[in-house]
Amino acid sequence: MVIGAPDLRGEAHLKPITTLDQLFAEACARGPLRLVVAAAESDTALAAAVLARRRLLAEPLLVGDPAGLSARLTALGEDPGSWELHPARDDADAARRAVAMVRGGEASLLMKGRLATRELLRAVLDRADGLRIGQLLSDVLVADHPHASPPRLIGVTDGGINVAPTLAQKRAIIENAAALFRRLGHPRPRVACLCAFEKVTSSMPHTGEAAELSRLNEAGELAGCEVFGPLALDNALSLEAAVAKGISHPVAGRADVLLAPDIETGNALGKSFTWVARARVAHVVVGALAPVLIPSRVEWAEDKLLSIALGVLAAGEAR
Ligand code: COD
């Protein structure tokens, strides 16, 4: 099987997915996809891989130390003999091998196990042997809106890769997230450019960039989504807050995706679902030859499973 670039720009073919439960069910209906786990000696990554295999969401291939992996699989109630294990010398070797398996068409999805995110990303970004397709790579996190009626998802981007995105990079990050949301059945996702304040002010440079991104969208130069900013978190997510501030725009109070101004904001916002609200999340890196999952080592197995589901939908490839 040869894997083409994931067509994240294609039209949506399904009813909008508005909850993580729907997302999981839809992904299970599309699977299984071959998933390679780099340095798979992580209890939560392995537990997620086991569950994904049992739910026919993924066919995992594990790269790491076969003896250690076999022992962990046995402890999880699995027969290691029924698993595809690929030896690696160390974490860097595991990253390279896992990336090569995606390049070679043996896997359609890549997930980080025990190794550091940077180590996997360096293999993914390698000019000669990585997974670049000429686009910016960015991470998109998806969570249930905790109190929206009717239910809806919230996207947060980019809390995982681009540290201090330039205006051009913010634009590419929006395009990536909007394309993923179209894949989830939202034909014209609403993107809020998140700032600390809803007016342009020279003391907060991100507000000016947010206004410029809105302008580009209005001018048709940033298409396939509705972009507005600057917006603060309250008036991005709550119609009541937007009305109270006198902001009237289709994105205000109804944002599907929150564009974070920098990695710190995106990362903290994403993690606040887990560590403040105890809510589930899924996240995926898009813009590469195949979706890449970079869950933190302390992320719950259930969230890693949801990320695999999101990756399956991002890949959009059923076998
Ligand atoms: N998309 C496409 N190409 C990229 C990207 C990207 N997002 N980032 C870098 N590149 C390309 C550059 O154009 C260049 O050609 C090459 O990759 C190397 O770029 P550098 O010099 O910036 O590369 P690194 O290795 O110093 O940094 C790239 C990382 C992605 C590793 C870096 O940005 C990073 O550490 N990001 C944070 C990752 C992380 O730790 N996340 C977890 C906690 S938030």
Side-chain angles (χ1 to χ4, degrees):
M1 178 183 57
V2 176
I3 303 175
D7 177 19
L8 287 173
R9 284 163 214 288
E11 287 302 310
H13 296 295
L14 64 141
K15 222 172 105 200
I17 291 174
T18 55
T19 67
L20 288 177
D21 287 337
Q22 279 174 13
L23 185 151
F24 187 71
E26 182 65 31
C28 287
R30 303 254 190 115
L33 245 62
R34 283 167 77 83
L35 160 77
V36 59
V37 187
E41 298 91 345
S42 144
D43 285 336
T44 47
L46 212 47
V50 166
L51 291 170
R53 192 164 101 140
R54 289 182 188 162
R55 296 296 302 265
L56 304 181
L57 179 62
E59 287 172 21
L61 319 171
L62 308 180
V63 182
D65 164 40
L69 290 172
S70 295
R72 285 172 193 262
L73 286 169
T74 304
L76 289 168
E78 292 288 306
D79 168 15
S82 72
W83 283 70
E84 233 184 87
L85 307 181
H86 296 261
R89 285 189 304 279
D90 50 35
D91 287 353
D93 188 41
R96 275 192 304 271
R97 282 174 192 267
V99 165
M101 289 165 82
V102 175
R103 271 178 75 92
E106 291 161 66
S108 309
L109 208 52
L110 168 62
M111 183 165 80
K112 172 189 139 181
R114 179 195 61 197
L115 79 178
T117 298
R118 275 163 189 257
E119 196 146 20
L120 184 62
L121 288 178
R122 290 215 166 104
V124 167
L125 290 173
D126 187 274
R127 273 194 190 284
D129 299 318
L131 303 179
R132 291 210 217 174
I133 52 168
Q135 293 179 21
L136 187 85
L137 273 64
S138 55
D139 189 71
V140 188
L141 177 139
V142 176
D144 286 317
H145 190 305
H147 44 77
S149 177
R152 69 182 217 245
L153 293 171
I154 301 176
V156 178
T157 189
D158 167 4
I161 298 198
N162 296 284
V163 176
T166 60
L167 181 68
Q169 287 171 332
K170 285 179 179 173
R171 177 184 172 158
I173 291 169
I174 290 177
E175 285 172 338
N176 277 351
L180 178 68
F181 266 69
R182 288 198 296 274
R183 270 257 184 254
L184 302 183
H186 301 264
R188 198 169 162 79
R190 295 174 294 247
V191 182
C193 304
L194 211 57
C195 291
F197 191 45
E198 52 282 342
K199 293 202 173 96
V200 175
T201 166
S202 58
S203 61
M204 298 184 199
H206 291 298
T207 57
E209 294 199 346
E212 176 59 11
L213 290 163
S214 308
R215 193 197 63 75
L216 287 171
N217 179 243
E218 233 177 80
E221 289 174 47
L222 173 48
C225 53
E226 193 91 41
V227 179
F228 189 61
L231 284 170
L233 184 67
D234 47 6
N235 40 58
L237 290 182
S238 154
L239 209 48
E240 205 184 336
V243 170
K245 294 259 177 156
I247 306 168
S248 171
H249 187 277
V251 175
R254 301 185 192 89
D256 299 307
V257 175
L258 303 171
L259 170 77
D262 51 32
I263 197 169
E264 287 85 1
T265 311
N267 193 273
L269 190 51
K271 284 182 176 158
S272 67
F273 284 97
T274 310
W275 301 106
V276 180
R278 295 270 160 202
R280 300 174 302 167
V281 298
H283 61 115
V284 63
V285 173
V286 291
L289 180 63
V292 179
L293 310 176
I294 52 166
S296 132
R297 274 163 280 186
V298 295
E299 250 177 76
W300 307 330
E302 186 187 4
D303 284 5
K304 292 187 182 185
L305 181 63
L306 283 169
S307 292
I308 295 172
L310 182 60
V312 166
L313 295 181
E317 231 186 292
R319 283 170 14 99

